[in-house]
Amino acid sequence: MAQLSNEQIGQNVMNLRESSGMSMDKLANVMRERGHKWTRVTVFNIEHGERMLKFQEAVDLLDALHLEPTSGMKRLMTESEEYRLVQNEVFRVAEDLEDLTNAIFSLRMHRRHLDVYLKVINTPVNAVDHNYDDLRQACENLDVEFWVRNTSAAKIIGLTRDLLAVPLEDLLAPSVTADGIGRDDIGIFKDENHTKLEVVNEMTGKEYRADNVGPDESIIKD
């Protein structure tokens, strides 16, 4: 069994106390009757992980809450399923934020490199210099001007708003639904004329735009 932190044990103490219908003041009184110098502040600090729960305190706590020692200790010292579920979502949000940060920084750096290439080949002196022919041809073939133009800070902020306008029900669709919506098909793609980037379902052509959200609606539908 993995060792729990004071915060996790404290959460379990709170769950057990509340399940028994006992207030913090009442629990502190009962624990004092068992020889522990507990006050309401003691209970608060333990439940919030600011004070360690000692072994004998744990034994007397279970008795005070009228819990059977073996099963009660297991409940006290085992990470709850609810805690694991919430913890997993918190970790995923933190990881996604880190990925978002890294993606934005990476995008800015690589866009800067592309912008430098354009400035080099567009410098009047270099425009007639055949030493830059290969770089010029690469930028033309790979449509570098398009990517630089459509990944400015303002464009990325706009695309981010459009991503936030995607309805939650479309995001939750693990596979293609009756109306052709599939989460994996939604992304940022070039428009039909290859002049801009847009958030769209590549299979159905459904476009998502923050500008299309009504004045009484939130951009974020969830």
Side-chain angles (χ1 to χ4, degrees), residues 24-127:
M24 283 193 263
D25 287 322
K26 176 63 176 177
L27 178 58
N29 291 336
V30 175
M31 290 297 286
R32 282 199 299 273
E33 293 173 358
R34 286 164 172 73
H36 301 286
K37 297 180 180 179
W38 277 32
T39 65
R40 187 179 190 280
V41 173
T42 308
V43 178
F44 179 91
N45 288 341
I46 289 175
E47 291 186 348
H48 290 79
E50 298 175 7
R51 179 187 180 283
M52 182 180 69
L53 179 67
K54 300 174 184 177
F55 177 75
Q56 189 57 51
E57 290 177 330
V59 172
D60 292 338
L61 171 69
L62 295 175
D63 181 59
L65 297 175
H66 308 292
L67 295 172
E68 193 275 324
T70 302
S71 61
M73 189 64 73
K74 183 177 180 180
R75 292 174 64 186
L76 184 63
M77 302 305 295
T78 301
E79 187 177 77
S80 69
E81 180 62 23
E82 290 77 10
Y83 188 94
R84 284 193 292 272
L85 288 172
V86 174
Q87 183 185 57
N88 180 64
E89 297 304 326
V90 169
F91 284 171
R92 289 298 301 272
V93 167
E95 289 175 358
D96 289 343
L97 284 175
E98 182 177 1
D99 290 343
L100 176 62
T101 300
N102 292 334
I104 289 176
F105 288 169
S106 178
L107 187 152
R108 291 177 62 193
M109 290 301 299
H110 292 298
R111 178 185 183 275
R112 182 176 183 275
H113 296 161
L114 294 180
D115 192 39
V116 169
Y117 296 153
L118 288 180
K119 289 179 179 177
V120 168
I121 63 175
N122 290 325
T123 299
V125 174
N126 296 338

Side-chain angles (χ1 to χ4, degrees), residues 190-202:
K190 288 184 178 181
D191 68 343
E192 293 181 355
N193 299 320
H194 287 203
T195 59
K196 64 178 182 177
L197 293 173
E198 59 185 10
V199 177
V200 67
N201 182 306
E202 191 179 28

